[in-house]
Amino acid sequence: MRSSVLSPSSGRDKHSTFPSVDRAVASALPTRLRPADLLRLTDEGAEDVLAGRYDHLLPHQGIWPTEERWATRLLSDDEVDLWLISWTPGKSTELHDHAGSLGALTVLSGALSEFRWNGTELRSRALTAGDQGSFPIGWVHDVMRAPDAVESAGPLDPTLSVHAYSPPLTAMSYYEVTGHGTLRRTRTVLTDQPEGDI
């Protein structure tokens, strides 16, 4: 390796047109996967759940929890975590982000309500069976089982969704909307669990 000689006037190596870098340069992106890749993974995961490929991971005798959200990890590697989540009435995730992870989901059954911070206010949308959504870094949202899904479903009809996170989750931050119409972080937790404490 040749030593670098910097020109005092330019700060550049006189043998090169680029500055010398003696350390590895990290990628600007946290993952090589794109939101479209995560949407494809959640769609394929949803198909696999519906086809029975993950029946061994489902609640015993098909009895879905009715008081608290339930989740199971379907796939995990260094790049992505894939989760199946069952949503219960009246339980929201609270406003949160996924720290340095991108995310995506596909709704399998029932419906979800998502409340997303758009920079000035919370905007809502409904996601029903077959709908998908992706979450770039910095996306702050609250998710819950849609009230309409609760009214139309029986107590044993689960609202299910498949979620992908890349890189796998390591932390989540939680937020509140202030009286001045801004977002304020209330806490950050280290976690590998999806969509809030499950």
Side-chain angles (χ1 to χ4, degrees):
M1 181 176 170
R2 74 175 163 81
S3 64
S4 182
V5 179
L6 295 179
S7 162
S9 61
S10 70
R12 292 184 180 220
D13 181 330
K14 68 180 181 179
H15 301 289
S16 170
T17 58
F18 300 101
S20 173
V21 178
D22 294 328
R23 61 182 167 72
V25 177
S27 168
L29 299 176
T31 176
R32 71 176 184 86
L33 299 177
R34 298 167 297 141
D37 299 319
L38 298 181
L39 289 168
R40 180 185 47 79
L41 287 170
T42 62
D43 191 46
E44 291 171 356
E47 288 178 17
D48 288 344
V49 168
L50 294 173
R53 292 185 185 93
Y54 291 112
D55 282 357
H56 63 286
L57 297 176
L58 301 184
H60 183 64
Q61 297 181 345
I63 300 173
W64 297 93
T66 58
E67 299 299 317
E68 299 295 329
R69 281 190 323 267
W70 172 92
T72 188
R73 188 179 273 128
L74 302 176
L75 172 111
S76 181
D77 62 28
D78 291 341
E79 285 191 310
V80 67
D81 267 347
L82 192 67
W83 290 86
L84 173 65
I85 301 176
S86 171
W87 300 83
T88 54
K91 302 286 184 176
S92 81
T93 61
E94 298 181 59
L95 276 175
H96 67 279
D97 67 21
H98 302 113
S101 298
L102 303 174
L105 70 82
T106 297
V107 180
L108 275 75
S109 60
L112 297 175
S113 293
E114 179 191 37
F115 301 90
R116 179 183 64 89
W117 180 254
N118 71 0
T120 58
E121 64 182 351
L122 288 174
R123 301 293 302 243
S124 67
R125 69 174 171 169
L127 299 164
T128 59
D131 288 345
Q132 294 188 296
S134 64
F135 320 120
I137 291 176
W139 187 277
V140 175
H141 68 167
D142 185 5
V143 182
M144 65 185 298
R145 183 173 173 170
D148 293 346
V150 175
E151 293 172 9
S152 64
L156 299 178
D157 296 330
T159 292
L160 300 173
S161 56
V162 173
H163 298 240
Y165 303 97
S166 183
L169 288 173
T170 57
M172 292 175 64
S173 291
Y174 291 86
Y175 300 85
E176 68 180 9
V177 179
T178 70
H180 302 292
T182 61
L183 206 57
R184 181 175 75 85
R185 183 171 45 213
T186 59
R187 70 190 187 281
T188 298
V189 297
L190 298 178
T191 184
D192 67 350
Q193 299 297 303
E195 299 305 316
D197 295 329
I198 298 220

